[in-house]
Every structure is written in structure tokens, then in C-alpha cells.
Amino acid sequence: MWEVGQRLEVPEDHGTKPLISIHEATAHSMNSPERTDDSGTPQDNTASSTLKDRVRSLTSALGLPSEAPPPSSRHGRQRESEDDWTAAAVRRLDSSQPLSERRAGAEFVGAKIKHFTVDALAAVWTTAEDLFGQDAPLEHRDVGFTLLLSSLRHTSLGLSERMKLYRMATVPVDASHAEEQFQVLKALTEDGQNLKPFARPFIGILSHSLEDMYKATLKARKRLAPSKKGGNRPRLAEEKGLYALLNLINNIILANSDAVDGHELDIIVQNAIQIARMSPSEREMREALSVINAATLDLKRPVPHIESCVDVLSAISGSDMVTSSPKGMAWESLLDLLRSTQQATVTGLLVRIVASNPEGREASHVRGAVSMLVHLVRRDRSPSLPSISVSQLYKALENSDNSRMGSHQILRIILKFLELPEFTQHLLEQDQWEPLLNEICHTISDCDFTGDRDISPTIRRNISSSTSLVSTQLDRPTGSEVADDAIKPLRMITRATVPSWPQMSYEQQTAVGAFFYQIRNILPLEAEELMIVWMIRQRMVFPGADDWIKSLSRLVNDHLVDNSHQWKARELVLEVMKDVVPVLSSGEDRIHFREIIFSFLRTYRAQLDEDIQIIDGIADFVATYSQTVEVDDFTFLLQSLWPLLSVQDTTMDTPTSELTANPVTLHMLRFFVESFPISAEKTTIAYDKLIDVAKARDLPTSARLPAIFLLARLRCNTAHAIYAMPQPDSLGLTSAILPPGTLPSQADHASLNDEQAATRVGRTSTISQRGPVGSRASTQSANRLGSTSQPIVPLWVGHGRKEGLERVEIRTPGSVVFQHTRGADERTTLRLSNWLAEMIDILQQADEWDIYSYVVVHLPSQLSNPTLFSNAVPHIQLLRSVIVSQLKSGTIREPSANTGIKKGDVALCLFNSLIMLLGYSEHFSRAEQDDMVRTLLAGISSWDRVTKVCIQGLSICCHVVPQSLNRSLSAILQKMSQIITQSHLAVDILEFLAGLARLPDVYVNLTENEVRTVFAICIRHLQHLRDQRQKQADPATSHAANRMSGFSGESATASKSIIDIHTDLPQYVFALAYHVLTIWFLSLRLVDRAKHVGWITSNLASKDSHGQDILEEQSQVSLDMMHRTAYLDLGETEPCADFSPSDGKILKKTWLLGLSIVTVETAAATGLTRLIKRQASGTTHATYQLQTAPLPLHHAAAPTDATSSLHGPESRLNVFPNHVFLQLTSTIAPTPSPMEAICLPDDEATRRAISAFDRNDTVDGYKVGVVYIGHNQSHEVEILANDEGSPSPAFNKFLEGLGTKVPLKGAVFNTQGLDRELDTDGTHTYAWRDRITEIVFHIPTLMPTDLENDPHCINKKRHVGNDHVNIIFNDSGLPFVFDTIPSQFNYVNVVITPEPSPAPAKRDEADEGASSLPERQQYFTVRTYSHPTFPQISPTASCRLLSLTNLPGLVRQIALNASVFSNVWAHREGGEHVSSWRNRLREIKKLRGRFAGTGTSASERYPGAKGSKTYVEGDRFAGTVAMGGLAEEDGIVSGLDFSRWAGPNPPLG
């Protein structure tokens, strides 16, 4: 048989006679056959017949008149002109003319055709009749055809003229000139549109001429020389004629389908099929297909030769050797057939072609049929087309005989089926997939694409391309394209099965997996994952399976080493490797597995795959595997990750703040933390490698930072074991330097506290996978002074997309790696000095900003664990030197411009480190300690941001390095006096002075002027607050006056909102300034106090809103305190001993004297007197005794003597209290009424008033809870249930330094709610008191525990739960949570955390932890936590490090300051907090207002004057009643200065 494009063998041509005879065809059509010779050339009956005769005969045959009608008449001149044109044409066409002239004549007729009449044209035709003869030379025939074409341009030709032209045109001609003949016929029929009057004979002529013309064309081609048979040769004349004939037939059928009968159409279609099937010419094929297509357009008429038609159309549409144009035409013809009335037949023929594939058919038939059937299956086909199901098509393919087709041809057929959108659903409905998959696999195997032969990564990527690799029409495959054909079905089967994998049955998944495994070397990338899943399911890569080592090795080498594979599949391989590790049982398996892994790592290290996800997976596996190998292999595995550290995620284009942590470093961290509990040697190796990573300046920041992140969290617990904190504890410092809005909200704070670092042995913590580092300011400081817009925060700040830094699981501290060791059985220690040296180097070298900023922020926290660096004393000393040098010289790294962070922010961090280094003072010389104090002093005026922390640092110095502070104290006071205008520093300055006043050894060397500086600071702050009060009293700002009115005793209101914190702070400053003034006055030596009275009293007065001078209540009580203590330092007095019976009757009288209550109790018989003077600042008890001399012997007896002797001593009346009062308070000098004492009646009201006065303490009392939290305790009940035997010795020593242990039963002081009768709150407590303050500590461990009757420890909680301030001694090893003991009254928790001893006395002490105090100094960290709505004002708002010696004093001072502030804060809604002294003053004024009948009042207004005036006898005096006295109109200030008239102290010599 033949294939499309195959040549048909034609016999050799031995003659030169014409091959085509139109007359012959005509004769056949008219049932008048003519004789022909052997060659097939027609023979005329009359050899000499003329053209006229032939035309006549043809006309008669058609039943038409032989002559045309005569032309109509014309005008003479027109006729002459037409005759001229005719004559000229006839003359030029005459047979005597040369051929060239005759050709020109034929062209002349065409050019002047409008000048010719029909008759004239007839004459012309007659003249040129020799040009149309069959025997005329071919050149003459060409001229004749030119004349005919010219004549056909005439617009008035009738039927007779058209018939004449038809006769002349159909004269037989050689095939080489048939094109011109068919062009004439095409023009004659108007391109096939008009067949009158010769339709029937003409169609017959054409149908019978088609086969002859094609044979002539084949013969002409065969005569060509071999060199001219190529595709680029000129087109043969016979080919042109065949094309013209086919084109004419096509046009005639399209325009005159009714004129073509079935017989003629059958001949035409049969010949067109023959031509389309056999022609090697694409032009011929197209023309033949056009004829076939035209023949099938009539959907109502049966298509002739339907089977052959479908066959050839399928062959052409499925051929690889033709271009898209004929293939498209064949495709459209098939579609037309499928729309016809024979669509069922056509469909069946297509199915039969695919299913049976009979002998003689080639692959192109099947491909074309499959393509069309696939189209019929598609849902988007035309509704006019029939449909078949996927199952029908699938069954036809199964029955197909593919033995004669090449493998790539079969794949093409399969490809057509696979591209169906409905294929996936059909596939899922089938139980047996093996036929299709096996056929694909078998075919690909024949193409030699399986086995061990790999294809290139480029082809593999092309397989996985998301762009469709198939189209409806396929080009001819050549060379490597056959390989592409082989893999296209894989792409299609992959696209069908991969998304449907979850819906497949187990059997289906198994079939697909096995198929993928067989073709694994050319498997599309997206199918690799399913193949690996199948291999895992079959346990092919796990120990116990046959050749599992080989399978795993192939999997590793094929999918991990080659980076062209999909990362998901490669990640799955890594998961397989991880899963194999725990099931390695035999030693042989371990060895083989090790060889695979090590071989892979050696190969992979050289490639540096850029896929960050795969690098993450490899590092994850290596870290997991490392825990199962020996030390040498552990080292190799760790080192194998080093080259991967430089790989960065190039797929991300994000700003610095959005970078992610390098995953390789994160897994290197696992080497370290996972080795804690199992291997000291491995832990040490991993630690050293992390140090190397931190040091490597050539690595990207994202690689170095995670290592630094972990190293900065290393700590040492009480057992000296090394561990890593799961959360950073420098969040407060972070918030202080970062711009607002760069940290998480307040809502995150509580959860963050819960995740704070474990700081003692026995605590397990984890970090959430891929969780960002969230933080909130746990401390609050002064407002930021400025920030840039949209700052780029450091990489390590937990905001935005910084996932990764928290992916490492921090495990329980190990028991194999320690910091300090002693004894023969040395335990492995880490060289923490190396890490400290690296931090110092980072500070000195001003490393990359993200690295540098992380170190400076987190260094203070790590320094708070002194045991961690106990073996790095030289480095600690160097660190101190570096920080001090940088701070003093200002050579601090400048932050990046786009961070919004200032240089002062960096200095703030360094100062915090310097303050933390104060805890290491024992390692520094005296000069170095002095230098640290001077650095803090210099920092006060260096950067605005650091002033506050520097002052707080100096507060710490008071307790830690008191001698060094003493040497700089004068300069410190001078500096503070210069910055008192900065109101935001007032609290810190005053708290520093308050703490300093209670440390006499520190200020012992102050001069009188330096002490005066302290008073000046207090006065200046008071004046500033008064000025602010005056401004707020202005009507324009009167809405704010209430908040400040508390300074003068008026009611105040404040919002609960946190935004009012800073408006409430001035009240605390007001109270604190008077507190400092008082305590410093009392701290003076007695001989020096009177010297300062005049200066202080001159500055206590202030102006009210009317410009009049007033003395505030607090000023009055301060003045009262100085009045009582300027010349007395005996301390508190107590009531005198009771009178004896011999003293006789006791008489009692009470007076109001100025702003005091004076009670005189006198023994009437003996005159013995007890004096009680009640003042605002205290009560004085004294005894007055008249030293009565014996009467002289010559003294005459008085009448009263006889009376007294008669009734005994008890009835004697020798003296009244009035006498004593007058003797002590007045003379005979005239006393103005306002100055007169007021004698109080001895009635019940007076007694009640005095009793109420006495209930006011003479000192301000505070209550502070002291809570001990034992090991691993975290719940309220277990904490409160601790009794006196629970705490550690360190806690007991702390209590001893905090206060004095005092009994409660019978206590005469204010026990702040503790029972002093029945011991229900314990027998003892600790308390502390000075001249103005008293603190009673509520200590649950000293209270009885009765869990049976009080399971919730309510009795204990009613005390500590109501305390504003609690001291928490956290010995639990757990992070403290603020609401551990929930209460609405707890504002401040001062948390003390014991640090491990740097040097335990012996090994067992280290094992016991804090069970006993070490030989050397034990350390503690102190940090103040406040309620979220409460401001932080303490110097320990950030973590501070102190020794046990210094701890109690500082903590007590912090608790005292916090208590004062809490009282102010607690009363901010209902008014100001009134001190005990002010209450006592108000009680005195209340009595004066009640009993001063003379008009004496407690008015505080008086005219002010400077200086004083001396009065002599006779001078007039005018004054103002004030404060129970009379003030000079021009000398009130001097009137307050009692030291002026009290006189100087007597000489001590």
C-alpha cells in the first residue's frame, strides 16, 4: 500500500502526443465516442476540418443556432472607428504575421476590448482560428489562449459567443500547456460560478481529466534529472496545470453543487483521494483536500468513498511529514464529515482505525484518528459533533495492534489520550491501571530511556514545565525531538495523577508508584515526590529490605546531589534519611549508612546548592544524625556545615529588618544544645565552632547572629551547670533604645513573662518552632527625646518576619558541662572566656550594626550571672577598661542612619553594662572602682538619654563601692545641682540623696557648703513644683489645677489611665523632696544643725495664687521637726515614771501653745511635774522638779503650814500646774492676745481630741511583704505555705540585714496589721525604723502555717496581698511572674534572685546548690517589676547585681521609695496622701480653731519681709496673727528662724 506523500510509479513516456484531450472528454459526455490511436490521442474524421466547422458541430450538438444574431446598427463614424480597431486586430493576427506580432495583436484586443463589437470579435476569432487547432504548435496555442482570455474581458458576450469560446478553449492541448487552457476555462465560467450553457458536458470533461492530468504530472516528475528532484526546484508546467484543474473543480463544486451528479462526484472524490494520498507536493495535497472538503460540505448528500475519505483524512491529520496547513485542512474535512448525515459511520470508522489497525495502515492513520476521537471526548467540542466516552476511547487503544508502529508513534497516540481533561476522572474510576502504564513504560523502554541512562537536567526541567507540551497537531519529530515525544506522556500522566494522589486507592497509588520507579531516570520532577512516597511505603530504603543500601544511595545521589530536582522531593529524601537513623540496629547497617552520608556530604559541600530550603533540610538532618555518632564523626558533620553558612536566600528581596536567620547556623546551635545531657566533649566541640562562627567577619550577618544569639544566653545555674535561656531577658533595655512602635503591644507582655528564662537547675523550657521573638518593655523610663520615621530596627528585634531565631529547642541544663570545677575529678568546663573575649572584640572593632547592637543590648544581662565568667577575671577587667574608655572618650560606634537609634542609645546600653560590672568590684582595684564612679558622673552631662541611668548607677555605687563614691561625692552633688532644672530627673536625684542620707560612712567628709547643696537641690525642686502649680492655677489652665492641688492639701482627682502617670509623678517629687530635706537635716551632727536653720526656713515660704506668702503644711511640719531636733539628738522620749504617794495629789492642765499641745501634770505636795509637749513632728516627755530648799531655822511658820500638817502630805496643796506652765512659757512682759496660750477645758471632748492626736504615729509607717519562693515553686499556696524552716540560709541572712527581729506580743509600735496579742501572725517579725520612717515586714515564713484549717493560706495572703510593695526572694529556679500572688493592691515587686557562688567551698556544696553559703561572697540579681499601669522609677528597673553584704540596704531603700510612691499613687483619685506629721498638725489646728475665743486662728498668710528689726522700749509693733503666733509685718522670715534668738550653741570645752 502507500503512505501519504509516497510516489506512484508511472510507466516511461515514449511519445510526445498530448496527454489530455478535452474533446475526448466532451465526446464521452455527449455519447459520441471518437476513435483514438494507441497512444490515446483523439483522431478527427476530417483532417482538414476548419475551426468554423468544429464550432458549428459543437453548436449543433448543444442544440444552439450556428450563427450569432447580427449586430445592431451604429452611427457612421462610430462604425468606422470600430472597423478601424477590428481591421488593425485582424491585420496583426493574420497568419502571415510573425508569432510575436500575433501575440501583440492578441494583447491589443484585450487592451482595446471596449472598442470591439461582438461581430468584430467573431471576425478576429475567424482570422486567428489556426491558433486554436490541435495541431498548432504549442507556442501558437499559447497566443490563442491569450486571445481567448482577452476576449473574455468583453462585457456583452452572449450564450452563443460563450459557446464559441468554449469550443475553442476545449481543443486538446499538451499537458505542459494545460494550465493556460484551465485558466481560460476558469475565466469563461467566472471562476466556476457560471456554467451556462455547458454545465453538464463541462463537469464531465473535468472529472475525467483529473486522473489523466495527475498521471501526466507524475510522468513529468519522473523525467526530471535526479539533481532537479529536490524540494527547491521550479514548479513543472504539468504541476501548474494540475493545480489549476483542482482549483477549478473545487470552485465549481462549491458554487454549483446541484449541477454535479453523484457519479461525477464519485469520480472526482476518488481521484482527489488518490492525489491527496500519494502526492509529495504540499500544494497538490492542499488542492486535493480542498476538493474533498468541497465534496463533503453538503451535509444532506452521502459522501462518496466514505471509508477511503476518512482513511486519507486521518492519515494526513496524523502525519508527521506534512506541515500544519494540509493537516489542518484534513482535520476540518473530518469535522465536516462528522457533522454530516454519516457522522455515525465516520465515528465508527475512526474507532475501527484505532482498534483494529488493519494491514496496510501506518501510524499516521491511528494518530489522526486518535486525535479526532480525543476531540470528540472533550467537553468543549461543538454541539453538532457526535460524542464518545473516555472508556470507549480507552478500550479502542487497548485493542490497538501497535506492532508495526515505532515506540515514539505509540507515545504520540498515548499522548493524545492523556491530554483529555476528562482523563483524570476516568483514571480514578478504573481499577486496573496496569495496561496503560505498562504500555507507556514498555514503549519508553524501547526508546532506551530507562535503566541506568540519565537524561540531562534541561530535559528533566522541560518535562516539568508548567507550559503544555502538547497541541492538537504535532510536528514531525527529528533527532532529539523523539526523546521529547517520549517524555510528553510522562508530563501528561504526571499532571493527571499527582493532583489526584490523595483520592487514589491504595492499589492505584501502588501502580503509579511502581510505574514512576521504573522510569525514574526520566521521571518528571513533580512526580518524584510520589515515587519517593511509594518507595517509603514499600520500605525499600529502610534496613531489612533487599538492597536497601543501594536504593537509599541511589535516592540520595539522584535527588540530593543533583540540584535540578524539586525541593519537595529532595526534602522528602532528607526526611527518609532522618527516619533511617533511629532504626539502624546492626553495626553493618550503621557503617553502610555512614558511607552514604559522608559520601554525600563530601560531594555536596563542593556544590553549594543555592536552594535555601534544601540547605535547611540538610543541616537539619546532619544535626539530627550528629547525636548518634562518635566524637570524630561529630566533628566532621559539624565541619561539613561550615561551607553552607555563606549561602543566603536569594529568592527574597527584603529590607534588613525582614531578613531571616541562617538555617545552617540554627542547626549548628542544635549540635550544642542537644549535646548537653549526653556528651561533654561534643558540647565543647560545638561551643568552639559557634565561637568560630561568631568571629567570622566574612560570613553574612544572618549566619553569625544566631550563634551570638545563643552564646549571649548562656548561663550558669546554682549547680554550676551551663545552660541557655529560652528567652532574652534584656527586653526592657531593648525597649529603651528602640523607636516607639517597634515592639509588640502591652498585651504580649504577660505571655512573654511566662516564657522568661529559667535560671536554675531542674527547669525545662522550649522555644516555639519558628516563633518570632516578641517583647514588651518590662521597664519604663523617661520619654524618648526623638526618633526617625519608619526606622529599620535591628535584625534580632522580634517584629515582622524574623522567624528562625527561636527555632532551636532549649533543653534542660545538662549535668556534663560546667563552669567552675574543683577537685581531682575535674568535670568538663567551657572556655567562657573565649566568648567574653569575642564580645570585647565586637565592642572594640565596632562590628556590623546588627551584631554590635545585639551584643551591647544583651551584655548586661549576661554579666548578671557572675559565675559564668568566674574563670575569666582578666577579660572582665579588660571589658571594664574598654567600656570606661569608650564612654569617657565618646568613641562609641555610630548607629546606622536608618535605624532611628542615636549614639546616646548605644551609650545607654554600655552604661548598663558598666553598672552591672559594679557587681564584680572585688576584681577591680580601688583606682579602677574610682574610675567607674567618675565615668558615671561624667555620663550625667554627656548624653541626654543616659543621665537617668547614670544617676541610678550612682545609687548602686552608694552600696557597692561606697568609698569610691565618697571620693567623688562633692563633684556628684555639684553636678546634680546643675541639672535640677530637668524635671524628669527629679525622682532619680532625690532617691539618690535619700539613700545617701542613710549611709553616714559615705557622706562623712561633706563640708557645710556641700550639705547646703543638698538642701538647695530639695528647695529648688520644691520651687519648681510651686511654679508649676501657679501655672496650672491660671484660668487658662484651670482644668489641670486639681492634679497639682494636692501640694496645698486640696482634693485632687486623676484618671486611671496610664497617660496620667507623669502628671501624678510631681506629687511624689513633692513628698520626696521634703523627705530628703528632713532626713538630711537629721543626719547632720547636732553641733551643725542650727547653722542651717536660718537658710532652710528662709526658703520654705512660698507665694499663693494671690501673691501672698504661705507656709505649706509640709513646710510647717519640716520647720517643726527642726524646732524639735536642732538642739536635741537624744531621740524619742517616753512617759516619765509614775508619781509616788508622797507626791500628794496630782493636778493636770493642758494648754494650746502656738502649734503645740502642752500638758502639765504636777504633784501638788512636792511640785514634781511631768511635761508632755505634743508637736506635729513628735511628742516630748520631760520631768520638771522644783528644788525646794529647807526653811531656815528662823523662818516663821506660814498659816498654810499648819493646815498642811493637820491633814498629811496627800492633802497638802503647795503648787499648781499653772505655775509650772507660767514659769516655763512667760514673764511679766505684756503678751498680745494672739500670743496668749489657750487653756483647754478638762472635759470629754478635749480628752477625745488629745487621744485622737496620740493615735497618730510620730513617724511614717509602711508595710512591705517579704515572700520566699522555694525550689521549683510557682503556685500561690505552695509559696505561702513555706514556714520558718523552708528558706535558705541566704534568705535568713538577708532578713537580718533588712531589719531587726522583734516580738509581736505586747509590741508598742504599729505592727501594720500583725496580731500582737494571740500570735496568730507569728511570734516575731522584722522591722526597721529611723527618726522619720518605720517599715514593718510581713514575712509569710514567720507566720504559722495551718493547711488543714487554712488550705489556701488566706491568713498569710491577707497581709502580703494588701501590701503595695513586696520583696520576692525567688529561690525557685523559675522565672517570676508578676501575678503569682494575684492582688489588686500589689503595685511593685522587688525580685531578688540568688546567683550561684563563683567558688564553692567543696564539690558537695556545688551539688547542693544554695543549701549553704559559699566561702566567698554570694551574689544576687535585683530587679523591680511594676504593675503594667504603674510607672517604673527604681534604680533596679533594670537588672542589677549585688553581693549579700550590699543587698539588704539597697533593697530596703528601694522598698521604702516604692512605698512612698505607692501611697501617693493609691490616693491619686480621692485626694493626696497625708503624712502622719501633717495629720498631727491638722489636729492641733483643729483645736485652735475650736477654742481660740480671742480670734486667734491658724491662718497661714502673712506679709513677707527680708531681715529683722530690733525693738526697744516705747517702739510700736504691728504684726499679723499667724500659726498660733504673731508675725512681724516686715520680718516674718526672721520670725520663723528660731535659731536666731535661741542663740549659738554653748562652748563644748
Side-chain angles (χ1 to χ4, degrees), residues 462-479:
N462 289 339
I463 299 175
S464 301
S465 173
S466 59
T467 304
S468 177
L469 297 176
V470 297
S471 61
T472 303
Q473 308 300 330
L474 300 174
D475 297 331
R476 175 184 295 273
T478 59

Side-chain angles (χ1 to χ4, degrees), residues 299-312:
L299 303 182
K300 299 179 180 180
R301 181 172 59 188
V303 179
H305 302 282
I306 182 66
E307 184 173 357
S308 298
C309 188
V310 171
D311 190 75
V312 72

Side-chain angles (χ1 to χ4, degrees), residues 1272-1378:
N1272 270 344
Q1273 293 180 345
S1274 59
H1275 299 292
E1276 176 184 86
V1277 173
E1278 62 180 348
I1279 293 172
L1280 294 177
N1282 289 323
D1283 54 26
E1284 197 167 0
S1286 302
S1288 66
F1291 177 71
N1292 293 328
K1293 285 188 173 292
F1294 168 73
L1295 290 180
E1296 293 173 2
L1298 193 64
T1300 302
K1301 192 173 185 179
V1302 295
L1304 290 174
K1305 183 172 290 187
V1308 295
F1309 60 91
N1310 184 353
T1311 61
Q1312 299 294 335
L1314 296 178
D1315 176 58
R1316 42 189 167 184
E1317 295 180 0
L1318 303 176
D1319 293 336
T1320 56
D1321 296 322
T1323 61
H1324 292 76
T1325 191
Y1326 281 86
W1328 178 89
R1329 177 177 176 137
D1330 63 8
R1331 300 285 292 273
I1332 62 173
T1333 307
E1334 182 179 66
I1335 304 176
V1336 174
F1337 298 102
H1338 293 164
I1339 308 172
T1341 56
L1342 298 181
M1343 301 178 186
T1345 301
D1346 185 4
L1347 294 178
E1348 182 176 352
N1349 296 318
D1350 186 11
H1352 299 291
C1353 298
I1354 300 300
N1355 187 57
K1356 294 185 178 184
K1357 186 177 179 180
R1358 70 186 178 90
H1359 294 294
V1360 296
N1362 288 308
D1363 294 338
H1364 292 319
V1365 180
N1366 281 320
I1367 299 171
I1368 308 297
F1369 197 96
N1370 185 18
D1371 207 5
S1372 66
L1374 308 178
F1376 176 75
V1377 179
F1378 188 89

Side-chain angles (χ1 to χ4, degrees), residues 190-231:
E190 299 176 7
D191 203 11
Q193 305 294 317
N194 184 9
L195 300 183
K196 295 179 180 180
F198 38 77
R200 295 185 63 80
F202 184 56
I203 293 176
I205 292 172
L206 298 181
S207 63
H208 287 83
S209 300
L210 185 58
E211 182 177 359
D212 295 335
M213 192 67 213
Y214 183 59
K215 290 180 179 179
T217 302
L218 294 180
K219 289 180 180 181
R221 289 172 180 158
K222 193 169 185 178
R223 291 194 298 268
L224 288 174
S227 60
K228 295 183 178 181
K229 291 183 179 182

Side-chain angles (χ1 to χ4, degrees), residues 280 286 868 1333:
R286 288 201 305 269
L868 190 67
T1333 307

Side-chain angles (χ1 to χ4, degrees), residues 1028-1056:
Q1028 292 298 110
R1029 181 181 61 193
Q1030 292 294 339
K1031 293 178 180 178
Q1032 293 182 352
D1034 186 271
T1037 58
S1038 59
H1039 65 281
N1042 283 342
R1043 289 198 180 102
M1044 299 296 294
S1045 62
F1047 301 139
S1048 59
E1050 300 173 13
S1051 63
T1053 59
S1055 171
K1056 294 181 180 180

